[in-house]
Amino acid sequence: MSALAPGSIIGILGGGQLGRMLALAAARLGFSCHIYAPEADGPAAMVSAYHTMGDYLDLDKVKRFAKSCDVITYEFENVPAVTAAACAQLSPLRPGALALEVAQDRLTEKTFLQDKAGIAVVPFADIINVYDVGRACKRLNVPAILKTRRLGYDGKGQVKINSEDDIESAYKALAGAPAILEKFAPFKREVSIVAARGIDNTFSAYPLIENIHRNHILHSSTCPAPNDNGAASAIARAIMDALDYVGVMATEFFEMEDGSLIVNEIAPRVHNSGHFSQDSGCCDQFELHIRAITGWPLGDTKPRHSTVMTNLIGKDALDWKKLAADENTYLHLYGKGSARPGRKMGHINVAGTPLLPKNSDS
Ligand code: ADP
Ligand code: MG
């Protein structure tokens, strides 16, 4: 398989900030991007050469878009299976349909990770009705978290069950959507691995990232995280091999008191916890993804200094002038109009201490 030459057209399904930063990275390497998204002028379309505004289920439009692209990728995991299949008929879809199928449904995801990839996940149960919740709470013990199988993000579609009294109201809150019950994991910290796998099975991962959530939304990520023994990266690699994955993937983990790792979920795309890489002195996750899906050599994922990424949520972004003046601070804004509460408007990367190469004796 040969590498796509500069000038080739990369199709991106989805028009948000991840698509925007992918398109900017692609432009740096001489590629043009074609965004397919339902919005008229989202963050990605604003910075891309081509844009088709369309519904993901308008398959005629999707096929016209796919014909114009040399490779197609996506910036969100909820691309409908029929849309992905229509694209894959006409152009290479990277990552492939299996990654989407697994990551779209929390039950399929946990079953795949446990049974096909042999990876530890929290104890879970399939939930179809309220009686299943009662039975599963008895079997797994509370506290537990009831989550919709599909379409949840930033903690949406999740309810915590602290005692049996919460079962009915929790089930009602999900409005009858197919769900999964997960045992609550009393983790010590949350960490993630952002890594790429190339079309020739090459693998490249950033060091371990430590993540702090506020109100179920990622607040900050620090890379490198202390105490990285390489185990998380090995697990991420095993999952990517099992999916025959091409591109950047994020793996979210719970690290338990005894140091063991449980995979929480995977994201078959660039990830918020990988934004630190933009200002860490190595190839950033967006360029890494573009390189992987176009068959280029994967980039260098060794940061030259530590970095703390903090999200600008809602009104945080109104401080842009002050943030722009701060030393060691790199400001990224997504071009979104209104700073609604909970909306990811941008992020900052703050550069920290230099990291010496491992084999350096100075
Ligand atoms: P989302 O798709 O919204 O990111 P997650 O499953 O990652 O959904 O849940 C969001 C956050 O909620 C996690 O990062 C973690 O802080 C908390 N959480 C989710 N599931 C569990 C669990 N089983 N045990 C403990 N905390 C959890
Ligand atoms: Mg998550």
Side-chain angles (χ1 to χ4, degrees), residues 106 213 252 264-265 271:
R106 295 186 193 277
H213 293 84
E252 297 179 12
N264 171 30
E265 61 174 353
H271 191 254

Side-chain angles (χ1 to χ4, degrees), residues 261-280:
L261 293 166
I262 294 177
V263 171
N264 171 30
E265 61 174 353
I266 59 170
R269 52 171 169 81
V270 287
H271 191 254
N272 198 166
S273 72
H275 291 358
F276 79 90
S277 59
Q278 291 171 308
D279 301 296
S280 67

Side-chain angles (χ1 to χ4, degrees), residues 6-39:
S8 302
I9 296 183
I10 299 173
I12 301 177
L13 295 159
Q17 67 268 18
L18 300 180
R20 177 187 180 94
M21 292 183 275
L22 282 169
L24 292 170
R28 252 179 359 238
L29 300 181
F31 294 111
S32 297
C33 285
H34 186 166
I35 306 298
Y36 191 99
E39 321 80 64

Side-chain angles (χ1 to χ4, degrees), residues 5 21 23 37 55-56 69 81 83 92 94 110 132 142 153 166-167 203 220 234 239 256 267 272 307 343 345:
M21 292 183 275
D55 192 284
Y56 294 116
C69 302
T83 312
R94 294 175 184 150
K110 291 218 157 52
D132 291 336
V142 287
Y153 69 100
D166 299 339
I167 290 176
F203 177 81
S220 67
I239 298 171
M256 309 307 286
N272 198 166
T307 308
R343 195 174 195 206
M345 302 297 293

Side-chain angles (χ1 to χ4, degrees), residues 98 112 197 201-203 234-245 249:
L98 177 62
F112 178 89
R197 190 170 178 271
N201 304 350
T202 46
F203 177 81
I235 293 171
R237 186 172 196 166
I239 298 171
M240 292 169 88
D241 285 342
L243 290 168
D244 196 17
Y245 197 90
M249 189 182 98

Side-chain angles (χ1 to χ4, degrees), residues 307-328:
T307 308
V308 180
M309 186 284 317
T310 304
N311 272 330
L312 301 174
I313 312 262
K315 289 197 159 52
D316 297 347
L318 301 179
D319 284 338
W320 56 269
K321 222 180 224 171
K322 180 188 167 300
L323 294 166
D326 282 353
E327 211 170 318
N328 281 338

